[in-house]
Amino acid sequence: MANVKNQEYTKEMFKDIAFFTLAEPGAMGVGNLMEFITAEGEKFSLFFSEEMPYSKVKEYFPALVDCYWNGPESDESCRTEFVFYLSKDERNFKHTKPPKNYTHLYEGFGNHICIRKDYYPVVEPIIRDLIEKNELVNWYKRTEKIINAIKNLTAEKKKENIKCD
């Protein structure tokens, strides 16, 4: 992963995100962490912080503008945890709402995976295999397989757009 400290982020980095993860504040593992893979297979990550608040991330990555992260989506089941809504604040009753062009997979305990819908068919089998092997939580085991699948599909898409005379 790219170094998350002192990282200079640009809107260009977020232009073609094929896959990303998000850990809610207080999530099991590393809370406030987002990890990204572009369609070209570039990877980088960031932490929400005072220097990089979520509002700033949404400026760089507009797909997040109407999103909300709070456990599983309303139609998702989650066998791994209970989601408690501890206050009467209406924000606590909202369910996760991922970006429209992404398929959402809830990993449990505040951890989310979002796969752009055009990449889902090549990434989903890898995710399913990692779930069956109980290796999904290990980012380093899943990253290279996912990156290779994304890069291969991107190359195929580019090849289809090449016109021969």
Side-chain angles (χ1 to χ4, degrees):
M1 270 305 171
N3 183 7
V4 294
K5 292 205 181 254
N6 302 320
Q7 172 78 36
E8 291 295 323
Y9 299 100
T10 65
K11 288 185 180 185
E12 190 65 28
M13 292 172 71
F14 296 85
K15 187 177 179 185
D16 201 11
I17 301 297
F19 177 101
F20 71 92
T21 66
L22 181 140
E24 299 173 27
M28 183 175 275
V30 182
N32 291 4
L33 174 67
M34 289 188 80
E35 299 166 305
F36 299 89
I37 300 174
T38 69
E40 295 296 327
E42 298 296 320
K43 57 186 177 178
F44 63 96
S45 60
L46 63 81
F47 287 98
F48 307 143
S49 65
E50 287 182 16
E51 292 134 14
M52 179 58 83
Y54 186 65
S55 60
K56 187 73 168 174
V57 177
K58 291 191 294 186
E59 287 177 26
Y60 287 124
F61 188 33
L64 298 175
V65 168
D66 292 325
C67 297
Y68 196 82
W69 308 98
N70 193 17
E73 287 184 82
S74 60
D75 62 349
E76 262 181 318
S77 64
C78 183
R79 298 175 300 151
T80 59
E81 68 182 287
F82 293 101
V83 178
F84 295 100
Y85 302 103
L86 298 177
S87 80
K88 299 222 183 243
D89 185 333
E90 73 173 35
R91 291 175 297 175
N92 288 329
F93 292 104
K94 289 184 180 177
H95 291 276
T96 289
K97 181 183 169 193
K100 292 178 184 172
N101 196 29
Y102 289 79
T103 299
H104 174 257
L105 302 172
Y106 186 62
E107 292 184 89
F109 302 102
N111 295 286
H112 305 265
I113 294 175
C114 290
I115 306 162
R116 206 168 76 196
K117 289 182 179 178
D118 53 335
Y119 286 91
Y120 184 78
V122 298
V123 174
E124 187 273 339
I126 297 166
I127 300 288
R128 183 176 307 281
D129 183 55
L130 292 169
I131 289 170
E132 289 172 6
K133 294 177 179 174
N134 201 27
E135 294 177 348
L136 184 61
V137 296
N138 188 333
W139 174 251
Y140 298 101
K141 285 189 179 185
R142 69 185 182 197
T143 303
E144 289 308 313
K145 290 178 183 179
I146 292 169
I147 287 174
N148 288 336
I150 288 170
K151 285 169 61 174
N152 290 338
L153 182 56
T154 299
E156 287 176 28
K157 287 178 173 188
K158 286 181 179 180
K159 194 184 286 185
E160 289 173 8
N161 288 334
I162 296 173
K163 294 182 181 178
C164 299
D165 294 321

